[in-house]
Amino acid sequence: MAVVLCLLLIFALMAPSLDGQILGGPMHGKAVVCYVASWAAYRPNDGQFTLDNLQPALCTHLVYSFAGLNETTFTIKSLDPWQDLEKDYGKAGYKRIVALKERYPHLKVTIAIGGWNEGSERYSKMASSPETRKTFINSVMIFLNQYKFDGLDLDWEYPSKRGGKPDDKANYVSLVKELKEAFEPKSLILTAALGAGKETMESAYDLSKLSRYLDLIHMMCYDYHGTWDGVVGPNAPLRGLDNEDVLSVEYTVKYMISQGVSPYKLVLGLPMYGRTFVLNDASTKRLQFGVTPVESAGFKGPYTREAGFMGYNEICAEVSNKSSPWEYHWHEGSATAYLRDGARVISYDDPRAIAAKVKFAVDNNLGGLMVWSIDTDDFRGHCGIDDRTFKDFTDRYNRMVNDPLLQEALKTLKLGDEARNLHRGTAYSLTDGRLELRLPQPQLSNYQLMQTVNAATTLALEEKRILDEMSRVNRDNEIVQTLSGCSRPERSLALVSLLIYKLFF
Ligand SMILES: *[C@@H]1O[C@H](CO)[C@@H](O)[C@H](O)[C@H]1NC(C)=O
Ligand SMILES: *[C@@H]1O[C@H](CO)[C@@H](O)[C@H](O)[C@H]1NC(C)=O
C-alpha cells in the first residue's frame, strides 16, 4: 500500500513538472524561421490561429508580424495594441510570444516591422536622413528592451518602389548598417525580408552591402505568379517555365549569390499558401502555366477571405473532403502542385514541393528555410499524411543504391548501422553493407508542411553527404584513369603534386 501511495505521490509531483518541461527544437542545424501573422487570430472557425496553436518545437526563430512606423515621429509602434499589448485587458501578444522561450530555450523571437499594407513611403522618409534614422533606431532599442524581443526583422516593401525614391537603395544600406552598430553590443539579431522578383532585387537592394550587416536574409520566394499575370501560373516555382524565365526560386537564389550574398546568410522563404485562379474557359482541356487565360480575380478561402489567396489549411479542407471535386496535378517543370475543378485552379506548395525546395536550399548550402506563414499550415491536423511527400528522395535513393560508386563511397562514409541511427533519427544507414533509407515518420498529427520542412532538411543533409562522397570517389577514379596513360616518372610526379594539393587545399 505504501508503495502505491508513494508512486501516486511521485506521479502527482511529476505532472506539473512534465507540463513545464524544457522542450527542444529542430536538431538539423539549419535555421527554420517562422513568421506568425498576429491577425490570424481574427480568422473565423477552424482558421482562427492564436499563440496557443503555435508549436514552437518546429521552428528555430519566431517572427511576430507586424509592427508599424509612426510616420510623424518616425518611431516603431504596435499596429494592433489590443492584440499585441497588455494594457486595457489586451491579448499581450508580445509578452506571450517572448514567454515561449522559457519552455523552448532554443527559440529566438524577433519582431517584424513593415509588411505590404504599411507601404513604402514612410520608410523612405525615415531612412532619408541621419537624424530620422537615429530617431527610429533609438525607438527600436527602447521597444526591443521593453518587450524583450531578440531582434528586429525589416519588412520594408520595397525600397525605391511603391512610392519610394531612387535614393532608398543607398539609404536602406545606411539604415541597416546603423541598426547593426546599435544592435551588436547588445547581441540583438538584425534580419530583413527581401523581395524575390528580379526587378525588385535589382532596384531596391545593394545586396553585397546588405549581406555584410544582416544576420539572416529572408527571401520572400513566393507570389511570383497570380491573377495579375492574366494567365494561370505557379505561386512559387522552384524552376522557371523556360530557360529565359527569371521568376523562380532558382533564379532568385543564384542571383543573390552572384551578387555577393553569403549563402549561409540566405534563408529560403516557403509559402504555406497557394494562389487561386478562375479560368476564362472552364472547358479548357489542357491547362498550361503561363498560357491559359484567367479572370481578373481568383476565388477566396473561407478563413483568409482574400481573393486569389488560399492558406494550405484551407486547401487541405477542400482536398480532404471525400466528395471533393478537386483533381490533383504535379507540374514537374516548376516542381509545384495544382488542383483543378472545372474553371477553378489552385497552384500551391504541397509537401512534395516543399521537400524539393528544402533539397535545393541544402544543396546550395543556404542558411535555412523560412515560412510565410505558420498560421496557414495545417495546424489543426485535417490533412492527414501525404504519401507523395518524399517521392523524389525515394526515387533518387532507388537510382543510387545500385551505383558502383556508392559501394566505394560507403567504405569511407562511416554511416552508422540501423539500430544506432534509429535512435538518432537518421534516415540513411548501413545494413549488411547496403544503404538503407528509412523515411522520417510524422511526429505530430498536425503541421504537415512544417514537419516536412524539418524532416526534408535532415534527409537532404544526409543525402548530400552521400552524394558528395560519391562525386569525390568519382573524381579520384578519373585521376587514376588519366594517370594510367602516363609514364612511371610522370605518374610519380603527378601523384606527389596531388598529395601536396590535397594536404594544403
Ligand atoms: C504618432 O505619435 C504621436 C506622438 O506620440 C501621436 O500623437 C500620434 O497619434 C501617432 N500617430 C499615429 C498614426 O499613431
Ligand atoms: C464537401 O464537398 C461537397 C461537394 O462540393 C459539399 O457539398 C460539402 O459541403 C463539403 N463538405 C464539407 C464538410 O466541407
Side-chain angles (χ1 to χ4, degrees):
M1 192 58 199
V3 176
V4 175
L5 272 176
C6 282
L7 278 176
L8 280 176
L9 196 64
I10 289 170
F11 279 123
L13 285 172
M14 266 172 70
S17 79
L18 271 179
D19 194 39
Q21 71 187 307
I22 303 277
L23 301 163
M27 300 294 285
H28 45 63
K30 295 282 184 189
V32 180
V33 179
C34 301
Y35 279 91
V36 183
S38 62
W39 62 93
Y42 300 119
R43 289 178 192 145
N45 308 323
D46 273 0
Q48 184 183 46
F49 181 98
T50 69
L51 292 175
D52 297 326
N53 298 110
L54 195 59
Q55 176 47 268
L58 295 165
C59 315
T60 60
H61 297 65
L62 298 177
V63 189
Y64 191 96
S65 310
F66 287 109
L69 184 65
N70 181 319
E71 59 189 320
T72 51
T73 57
F74 298 119
T75 53
I76 187 172
K77 65 169 189 190
S78 159
L79 284 178
D80 183 351
W82 189 67
Q83 200 62 245
D84 300 340
L85 310 178
E86 215 171 350
K87 63 170 193 232
D88 302 330
Y89 304 101
K91 296 282 194 180
Y94 293 168
K95 187 177 175 182
R96 283 162 63 225
I97 198 166
V98 169
L100 291 172
K101 295 187 351 167
E102 290 162 19
R103 289 185 70 194
Y104 297 88
H106 75 281
L107 273 183
K108 298 287 177 206
V109 182
T110 65
I111 183 148
I113 183 169
W116 183 262
N117 292 335
E118 275 269 289
S120 179
E121 253 172 87
R122 60 185 73 187
Y123 293 86
S124 174
K125 287 195 195 110
M126 177 270 286
S128 65
S129 81
E131 294 76 30
T132 46
R133 289 197 299 269
K134 183 106 183 67
T135 306
F136 171 69
I137 294 168
N138 286 343
S139 81
V140 168
M141 298 307 285
I142 293 166
F143 185 95
L144 296 183
N145 184 51
Q146 181 175 1
Y147 300 108
K148 303 286 172 256
F149 282 108
D150 290 313
L152 183 74
D153 182 57
L154 292 165
D155 285 36
W156 174 359
E157 297 183 17
Y158 308 96
S160 84
K161 301 185 67 159
R162 301 180 67 213
K165 45 186 194 298
D167 288 350
D168 291 351
K169 190 173 180 172
N171 293 340
Y172 190 43
V173 173
S174 303
L175 175 65
V176 165
K177 178 173 183 284
E178 290 157 20
L179 270 167
K180 180 69 183 173
E181 282 162 5
F183 278 20
E184 214 147 32
K186 311 244 176 222
S187 301
L188 294 167
I189 304 168
L190 182 62
T191 61
L194 304 192
K198 178 178 196 278
E199 206 273 310
T200 305
M201 290 193 291
E202 285 171 358
S203 61
Y205 311 121
D206 188 332
L207 289 166
S208 67
K209 290 200 181 126
L210 291 180
S211 172
R212 200 178 316 157
Y213 304 119
L214 292 168
D215 294 305
L216 291 175
I217 296 174
H218 305 148
M219 290 311 296
M220 297 189 275
C221 290
Y222 29 75
D223 300 337
Y224 288 98
H225 297 287
T227 45
W228 54 86
D229 288 346
V231 292
V232 72
N235 176 39
L238 174 57
R239 296 176 288 263
L241 299 176
D242 58 51
N243 289 335
E244 256 79 82
D245 190 355
V246 295
L247 293 176
S248 76
V249 170
E250 205 174 75
Y251 182 88
T252 298
V253 169
K254 297 260 148 83
Y255 179 83
M256 298 288 290
I257 293 173
S258 77
Q259 296 299 300
V261 173
S262 316
Y264 72 90
K265 286 194 175 186
L266 260 190
V267 174
L268 174 59
L270 306 168
M272 313 260 104
Y273 67 90
R275 289 269 157 210
T276 68
F277 302 86
V278 179
L279 303 185
N280 284 352
D281 179 4
S283 68
T284 305
K285 280 237 152 42
R286 206 168 83 85
L287 180 142
Q288 250 186 303
F289 280 170
V291 175
T292 312
V294 298
E295 307 282 331
S296 58
F299 54 95
K300 298 174 186 177
Y303 311 144
T304 54
R305 299 171 293 186
E306 177 189 332
F309 181 102
M310 219 155 158
Y312 183 68
N313 55 341
E314 294 169 299
I315 295 170
C316 246
E318 292 276 341
V319 181
S320 60
N321 183 341
K322 290 283 176 276
S323 51
S324 163
W326 295 98
E327 205 173 279
Y328 173 88
H329 299 267
W330 174 255
H331 185 256
E332 183 58 34
S334 62
T336 49
Y338 65 95
L339 297 167
R340 182 169 176 199
D341 166 31
R344 297 190 304 160
V345 177
I346 311 171
S347 71
Y348 70 110
D349 281 50
D350 68 343
R352 182 182 177 187
I354 294 287
K357 285 178 186 165
V358 168
K359 163 145 173 91
F360 175 78
V362 167
D363 282 352
N364 285 279
N365 301 309
L366 303 192
L369 292 310
M370 170 272 269
V371 300
W372 178 267
S373 53
I374 192 166
D375 44 88
T376 56
D377 190 1
D378 173 34
F379 64 93
R380 299 217 187 260
H382 290 326
C383 305
I385 293 172
D386 189 329
D387 297 334
R388 296 176 288 250
T389 305
F390 299 117
K391 182 187 183 310
D392 300 307
F393 282 92
T394 336
D395 286 352
R396 280 191 298 273
Y397 165 77
N398 287 331
R399 280 199 299 275
M400 83 173 138
V401 75
N402 294 317
D403 189 330
L405 279 176
L406 175 68
Q407 293 313 312
E408 274 190 73
L410 287 178
K411 288 179 202 153
T412 41
L413 261 173
K414 299 197 177 63
L415 290 181
D417 60 36
E418 192 154 13
R420 217 182 84 217
N421 285 355
L422 243 156
H423 176 66
R424 295 190 312 176
T426 315
Y428 296 86
S429 59
L430 264 186
T431 304
D432 301 328
R434 189 186 144 89
L435 183 70
E436 297 288 345
L437 168 59
R438 196 180 47 86
L439 290 178
Q441 295 306 303
Q443 306 290 306
L444 307 168
S445 59
N446 56 354
Y447 279 111
Q448 199 187 38
L449 294 185
M450 286 309 308
Q451 290 199 80
T452 303
V453 169
N454 285 294
T457 302
T458 302
L459 269 177
L461 281 165
E462 292 179 29
E463 188 195 73
K464 182 170 190 298
R465 218 183 120 215
I466 298 167
L467 290 172
D468 283 352
E469 186 64 8
M470 284 170 73
S471 27
R472 193 193 61 80
V473 167
N474 194 26
R475 241 182 359 256
D476 285 4
N477 288 353
E478 273 170 10
I479 291 167
V480 169
Q481 242 164 36
T482 315
L483 287 179
S484 67
C486 308
S487 71
R488 256 187 102 161
E490 282 170 351
R491 214 181 309 167
S492 310
L493 191 67
L495 278 174
V496 169
S497 330
L498 186 69
L499 207 70
I500 291 170
Y501 178 83
K502 280 206 161 180
L503 272 174
F504 289 99
F505 301 100

